[in-house]
Amino acid sequence: MTAERRAEPPVRFAGAGPGDRQRRPLAGRRVVVTRPRGQAGRFVTLLEASGAEVVAMPTIALEPPEDWGPLDRALARLGDFHWVVFTSANGVAAFHERLAAAGRDTRALGGARLAAIGPETAEALAGVGLRADVVPGEYRAEGLADVLRPHLASGSAVLLVRAAEAREVLPQVLESLGARVTVAPAYRTVAVKEGADHLLGLLEARGVDVVTFTSSSTVRGFMALLAPGEIRRLLSGVVLAAIGPITAGTIAEYGLEVGVMPREYTTSALAAAIAGHFTSPR
């Protein structure tokens, strides 16, 4: 493959002593971040604080849902819900913005209780003046269903604010518990190919140490940039880092192994796990 932009050769630990490696464990490592632009800031900061050279290569972008109708109709009767469930910080932001656009504020929630899929989503709620009533210990749909289970009665009204494209496991489990679930897409993800030539040049030059994935959508967006027959060759020797088991499962669909996955499914934990990967004895 001929890339329009040729990559610089990979940087390594030239001149770095053991103390430097401990303080900056990713010094000399080039890490690709596939998270959407505008959401990668804190993750990039953490990686750079560990010494990484970060290549921001968003493989997806967030767009409004094709139809605001389901969310708007839910917002118009927000006080009727017993629970409002958020599966991402993106959903929180879109929910809050859409509520404001309708001329309402969080008082419209009435007595509805709030659930967040993980600490970053709970933090996003706090950022708009709301507190999550429940956050599961396992930050995925199955964990959220488990933590909601004892709080639901037959006929409980649940509003699920999420991406347009998402697994159906959560609404299916909640409905099996007797809840009346309203799914309201608050955003959708679209593939981004900007910078693909630069990325391919880096991979051809063996100039990438780690590629990070924070959702299944980022995995699919990244793989779409590579020719199917070239994926394994281009990623040979590259550490693939997944934020959690769902994302790791999507990577496995391409016949690839995940090298790093944190126990806690957050970007902070992912950054720490990547640093640990290069400092732990192997």
Side-chain angles (χ1 to χ4, degrees):
M1 186 214 69
T2 301
E4 293 181 6
R5 294 182 59 181
R6 302 306 303 173
E8 296 295 328
V11 182
R12 291 294 182 264
F13 282 114
D20 296 325
R21 296 181 190 185
Q22 189 170 23
R23 290 190 297 271
R24 293 168 56 82
L26 297 179
R29 303 292 181 180
R30 185 175 282 147
V31 180
V32 173
V33 171
T34 60
R35 212 166 198 212
R37 198 178 302 282
Q39 293 190 315
R42 183 165 65 173
F43 187 37
V44 169
T45 298
L46 290 170
L47 292 168
E48 290 181 337
S50 292
E53 177 192 346
V54 175
V55 178
M57 190 65 61
T59 57
I60 59 171
L62 303 184
E63 298 285 346
E66 293 184 349
D67 182 7
W68 282 113
L71 181 57
D72 287 346
R73 288 192 290 273
L75 295 180
R77 58 182 187 92
L78 198 52
D80 294 341
F81 291 98
H82 298 101
W83 283 91
V84 181
V85 179
F86 297 92
T87 59
S88 72
N90 301 322
V92 174
F95 171 90
H96 190 255
E97 291 173 7
R98 199 66 183 172
L99 188 63
R104 309 179 75 191
D105 59 31
T106 54
R107 289 174 294 182
L109 283 161
R113 303 181 72 189
L114 307 181
I117 199 167
E120 293 182 354
T121 304
E123 185 177 326
L125 282 171
V128 297
L130 296 171
R131 183 178 64 84
D133 294 288
V134 297
V135 181
E138 186 181 17
Y139 312 146
R140 58 176 179 162
E142 289 83 349
L144 194 50
D146 285 344
V147 78
L148 281 169
R149 189 185 302 270
H151 298 285
L152 296 178
S154 178
S156 292
V158 178
L159 171 60
L160 174 56
V161 182
R162 67 173 205 185
E165 54 290 299
R167 295 189 305 143
E168 296 301 323
V169 61
L170 183 55
Q172 288 173 353
V173 172
L174 297 182
E175 287 174 349
S176 74
L177 297 174
R180 293 180 289 114
V181 180
T182 299
V183 176
Y187 63 95
R188 61 190 172 96
T189 58
V190 296
V192 173
K193 295 187 176 181
E194 181 183 355
D197 288 339
H198 181 49
L199 172 65
L200 292 172
L202 289 173
L203 291 172
E204 285 284 2
R206 321 310 296 172
V208 174
D209 295 288
V210 184
V211 181
T212 65
F213 300 101
T214 53
S215 69
S216 292
S217 296
T218 62
V219 177
R220 296 191 179 98
F222 179 88
M223 298 303 174
L225 301 177
L226 313 181
E230 292 285 274
I231 288 177
R232 294 184 68 86
R233 181 183 70 82
L234 288 171
L235 294 178
S236 175
V238 176
V239 176
L240 305 182
I243 196 168
I246 303 302
T247 304
T250 305
I251 293 172
E253 291 174 6
Y254 292 87
L256 301 170
E257 292 186 5
V258 174
V260 173
M261 188 182 79
R263 292 184 178 179
E264 183 179 272
Y265 314 147
T266 65
T267 52
S268 299
L270 181 58
I274 294 169
H277 176 84
F278 289 104
T279 53
S280 299
R282 280 172 282 165

